[in-house]
């Protein structure tokens, strides 16, 4: 009998405790804000705003030694965009009173990159010129640098300072493991090289035919 009373008394204490907690919860709900939050948050749409995006990348260039004066994001697609890159960043930047185009495409794997790269070489630039790795010829009417590793294509157009961009990419963490580096001066022909164990090696030059070189 005593044991039965003890159990009932224990259950009574639990019931009273639960009611007290419920009362506390209700009182707190009257004090705290409702579930409709009033916190200020930054959405992904706001971060992708054109002005915010340009400012972000401008600071990124500045932080890694490219002292640009202005930057404008290019919205139109280029040839490598046809091959579904994971990321594509294309800018027109003003640097030392020159206009430079900086374009970077990142692919999911080396197969996707090679597909984009070799198809691009079959039809490069506005004149759709075909070129092979190692081939010496004039591709476009401006200086260019093209960097290619396993997953990234980078094209810099309009800048004569080649060392500037090699140092910039090294500061971003790109190791000296470029599979291809193509360079063409303003009035010169393409020069090809690659990096083997961190050492730059020139590709064996291939002469373009007279008909191709005259295009």
């Amino acid at each position: 009998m005593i044991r039965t009373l003890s159990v009932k008394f224990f259950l009574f204490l639990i019931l009273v405790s639960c009611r007290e907690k419920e009362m506390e919860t209700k009182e707190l709900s009257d004090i705290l804000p409702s579930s409709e939050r009033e916190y200020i948050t930054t959405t992904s749409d706001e971060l992708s705003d054109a002005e915010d995006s340009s400012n972000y990348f401008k600071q990124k260039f500045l932080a890694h030694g490219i002292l640009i004066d202005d930057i404008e994001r290019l919205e139109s697609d280029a040839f490598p965009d046809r091959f579904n890159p994971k990321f594509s960043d294309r800018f027109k930047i003003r640097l030392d009173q020159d206009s430079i185009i900086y374009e970077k495409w990142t692919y999911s794997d080396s197969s996707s990159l090679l597909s984009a790269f070799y198809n691009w070489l079959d039809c490069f630039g506005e004149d759709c010129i075909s070129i092979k790795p190692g081939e010496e010829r004039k591709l476009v009417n401006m200086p260019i640098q093209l960097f290619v590793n396993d997953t990234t294509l980078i094209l810099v157009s309009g800048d004569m300072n080649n060392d500037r961009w090699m140092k910039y990419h090294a500061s971003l963490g790109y190791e000296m493991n470029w599979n291809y580096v193509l360079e063409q001066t303003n009035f010169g022909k393409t020069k090809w090289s690659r990096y083997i164990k961190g050492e730059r090696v020139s590709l064996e030059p291939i002469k373009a035919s007279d008909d191709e070189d005259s295009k």
Side-chain angles (χ1 to χ4, degrees), residues 75-83 88 90 103 105 107 120:
E75 300 297 340
S76 60
D77 288 342
F79 190 95
D81 288 303
R82 302 177 187 179
F83 297 87
S88 175
R90 303 176 58 242
E103 303 170 277
W105 300 269
Y107 295 87
W120 199 15

Side-chain angles (χ1 to χ4, degrees), residues 10-75:
F10 179 72
L11 293 174
F12 173 75
L13 290 177
I14 293 176
L15 179 61
V16 170
S17 176
C18 290
R19 289 296 303 272
E20 288 177 350
K21 287 183 179 180
E22 184 179 352
M23 291 290 291
E24 290 177 1
T25 302
K26 288 182 178 180
E27 289 173 359
L28 284 173
S29 66
D30 293 335
I31 298 171
L32 295 176
S34 65
S35 61
E36 295 180 2
R37 295 186 178 183
E38 298 178 359
Y39 307 126
I40 298 174
T41 58
T42 303
T43 66
S44 58
D45 289 338
E46 289 171 333
L47 286 175
S48 64
D49 176 82
E51 184 176 354
D52 290 343
S53 177
S54 295
N55 287 334
Y56 168 78
F57 283 102
K58 181 177 182 178
Q59 294 304 317
K60 186 175 181 179
F61 279 115
L62 292 173
H64 293 275
I66 304 295
L67 306 180
I68 66 176
D69 301 311
D70 197 13
I71 184 170
E72 174 187 347
R73 193 175 191 109
L74 300 176
E75 300 297 340

Side-chain angles (χ1 to χ4, degrees), residues 15-209:
L15 179 61
V16 170
S17 176
C18 290
R19 289 296 303 272
E20 288 177 350
K21 287 183 179 180
E22 184 179 352
M23 291 290 291
E24 290 177 1
T25 302
K26 288 182 178 180
E27 289 173 359
L28 284 173
S29 66
D30 293 335
I31 298 171
L32 295 176
S34 65
S35 61
E36 295 180 2
R37 295 186 178 183
E38 298 178 359
Y39 307 126
I40 298 174
T41 58
T42 303
T43 66
S44 58
D45 289 338
E46 289 171 333
L47 286 175
S48 64
D49 176 82
E51 184 176 354
D52 290 343
S53 177
S54 295
N55 287 334
Y56 168 78
F57 283 102
K58 181 177 182 178
Q59 294 304 317
K60 186 175 181 179
F61 279 115
L62 292 173
H64 293 275
I66 304 295
L67 306 180
I68 66 176
D69 301 311
D70 197 13
I71 184 170
E72 174 187 347
R73 193 175 191 109
L74 300 176
E75 300 297 340
S76 60
D77 288 342
F79 190 95
D81 288 303
R82 302 177 187 179
F83 297 87
N84 299 318
K86 288 176 61 179
F87 308 105
S88 175
D89 293 318
R90 303 176 58 242
F91 306 99
K92 180 180 181 180
I93 62 180
R94 190 160 55 84
L95 176 74
D96 298 335
Q97 298 182 341
D98 294 325
S99 290
I100 298 168
I101 304 298
Y102 183 92
E103 303 170 277
K104 181 172 71 173
W105 300 269
T106 303
Y107 295 87
S108 57
D109 51 47
S110 58
S111 297
S112 299
L113 177 134
L114 289 175
S115 178
F117 176 57
Y118 283 112
N119 276 281
W120 199 15
L121 293 187
D122 282 339
C123 184
F124 195 94
E126 293 182 359
D127 295 330
C128 196
I129 295 175
S130 177
I131 186 171
K132 302 178 181 65
E135 190 172 5
E136 295 182 336
R137 62 176 310 171
K138 185 173 182 179
L139 271 179
V140 291
N141 295 318
M142 67 175 68
I144 58 171
Q145 284 181 282
L146 177 64
F147 301 88
V148 185
N149 65 16
D150 288 340
T151 56
T152 304
L153 284 173
I154 301 174
L155 178 65
V156 182
S157 307
D159 192 4
M160 294 289 292
N161 190 337
N162 294 340
D163 290 340
R164 175 177 14 227
W165 296 101
M166 192 66 73
K167 292 176 181 177
Y168 171 70
H169 294 127
S171 74
L172 289 177
Y174 289 99
E175 298 179 4
M176 291 301 184
N177 61 350
W178 300 107
N179 298 326
Y180 294 106
V181 176
L182 178 154
E183 295 172 292
Q184 180 199 288
T185 60
N186 201 19
F187 299 103
K189 295 182 180 180
T190 52
K191 302 293 183 184
W192 293 81
S193 59
R194 63 175 39 162
Y195 280 80
I196 301 176
K197 295 181 179 179
E199 296 293 328
R200 188 168 183 168
V201 179
S202 297
L203 267 65
E204 188 68 27
I206 302 173
K207 299 292 184 181
S209 67

